[in-house]
């Protein structure tokens, strides 16, 4: 991808909006996450806490790896990564490799993404040729380089989306349910 394509990718879309509309579902919670390295207190739990002010910080030599292993073969349509160049500067990734496979020994690079000072959600569509998604046991996000030749990396959030297989009709299509009686049934406990 060149910088022009990446800048188009660096939209400030909210991945939660697609989830709320029933177009995709977040499947990262179905996986086992591991990192190549991290500073104490800045581990994988920071990538998954849904707080944009926290971050994973790597510790060591490039490349820095985020490994996402699923218990069963899973459809993946896109990855969202939240970064903030204004806050993180040299810690912000500038080149990311997305790899997929069955295990660590057969990973194949799907995409190489160049980022130019990204701030907000970076959308990385995952495709296998003309197919709109891939089916895999494992994803790996490898940070190849950082801005300003930085050594360590900050990533604030990562979300993994799968397409929704069944036809789903979100309630938003039927209007706003704003009364107290409707709102109390909006969430299952």
């Amino acid at each position: 991808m060149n910088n022009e394509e990446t800048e188009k990718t660096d939209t400030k879309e909210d991945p939660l909006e697609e989830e709320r509309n029933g177009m995709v579902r977040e499947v990262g919670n179905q996986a086992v996450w591991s990192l190549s390295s991290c500073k104490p207190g800045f581990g994988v739990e920071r990538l998954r806490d849904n707080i944009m002010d926290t971050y994973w910080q790597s510790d060591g030599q490039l490349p820095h790896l985020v490994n996402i292993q699923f218990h069963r073969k899973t459809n993946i349509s896109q990855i969202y990564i939240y970064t903030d160049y204004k806050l993180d500067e040299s810690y912000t990734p500038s080149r990311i490799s997305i790899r997929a496979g069955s295990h660590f020994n057969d990973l194949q690079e799907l995409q190489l993404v160049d980022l130019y000072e990204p701030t907000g959600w970076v959308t990385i569509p995952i495709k296998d040729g003309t197919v709109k998604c891939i089916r895999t046991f494992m994803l790996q996000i490898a940070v190849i380089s950082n801005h300003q030749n930085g050594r360590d990396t900050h990533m604030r959030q990562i979300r993994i989306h799968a397409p929704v297989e069944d036809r789903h009709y979100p309630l938003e299509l039927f209007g706003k349910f704003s009364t107290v009686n409707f709102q109390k049934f909006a969430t299952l406990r």
Side-chain angles (χ1 to χ4, degrees):
M1 256 187 186
N2 63 30
N3 285 346
E4 290 178 285
E5 289 173 338
T6 303
E7 286 180 33
K8 291 177 190 170
T9 304
D10 290 347
T11 59
K12 291 185 172 78
E13 294 178 33
D14 181 10
L16 296 176
E17 187 174 327
E18 284 188 328
E19 292 172 35
R20 282 190 294 267
N21 289 335
M23 306 298 288
V24 295
R25 60 190 174 93
E26 210 283 330
V27 293
N29 58 353
Q30 298 173 11
V32 175
W33 292 64
S34 63
L35 304 168
S36 58
S37 66
C38 68
K39 297 258 187 202
F42 294 92
V44 74
E45 68 279 354
R46 303 293 180 138
L47 282 174
R48 303 289 300 157
D49 63 5
N50 290 324
I51 302 171
M52 304 311 161
D53 295 330
T54 64
Y55 52 86
W56 159 56
Q57 182 173 336
S58 64
D59 186 18
Q61 299 297 316
L62 289 166
H64 302 299
L65 307 174
V66 178
N67 302 304
I68 306 154
Q69 295 177 282
F70 295 95
H71 299 290
R72 61 179 184 205
K73 221 170 194 181
T74 304
N75 288 329
I76 307 294
S77 60
Q78 60 205 85
I79 299 172
Y80 278 92
I81 300 173
Y82 192 87
T83 61
D84 195 338
Y85 179 78
K86 293 174 185 166
L87 293 175
D88 298 331
E89 294 180 350
S90 68
Y91 291 91
T92 307
S94 63
R95 178 168 271 191
I96 295 174
S97 171
I98 305 296
R99 304 166 183 166
S102 297
H103 48 79
F104 284 100
N105 297 326
D106 74 346
L107 292 174
Q108 303 250 329
E109 185 172 89
L110 298 175
Q111 292 186 26
L112 189 61
V113 182
D114 289 318
L115 305 173
Y116 180 71
E117 299 182 4
T119 298
W121 288 104
V122 175
T123 307
I124 304 171
I126 303 300
K127 297 178 188 174
D128 186 15
T130 58
V131 180
K132 293 184 180 182
C133 67
I134 62 163
R135 192 164 165 76
T136 188
F137 279 108
M138 182 173 180
L139 278 175
Q140 185 179 74
I141 301 169
V143 177
I144 307 299
S145 64
N146 291 320
H147 285 77
Q148 303 170 8
N149 294 319
R151 192 183 107 181
D152 290 330
T153 294
H154 284 183
M155 278 195 205
R156 294 181 173 268
Q157 295 294 304
I158 297 177
R159 297 186 72 77
I160 309 295
H161 281 175
V164 174
E165 285 110 22
D166 299 337
R167 184 66 182 135
H168 178 62
Y169 297 99
L171 288 177
E172 287 81 16
L173 293 176
F174 301 103
K176 297 273 185 197
F177 295 105
S178 57
T179 66
V180 173
N181 285 333
F182 279 119
Q183 287 298 321
K184 69 182 178 183
F185 296 108
T187 319
L188 294 174
R189 294 182 192 236

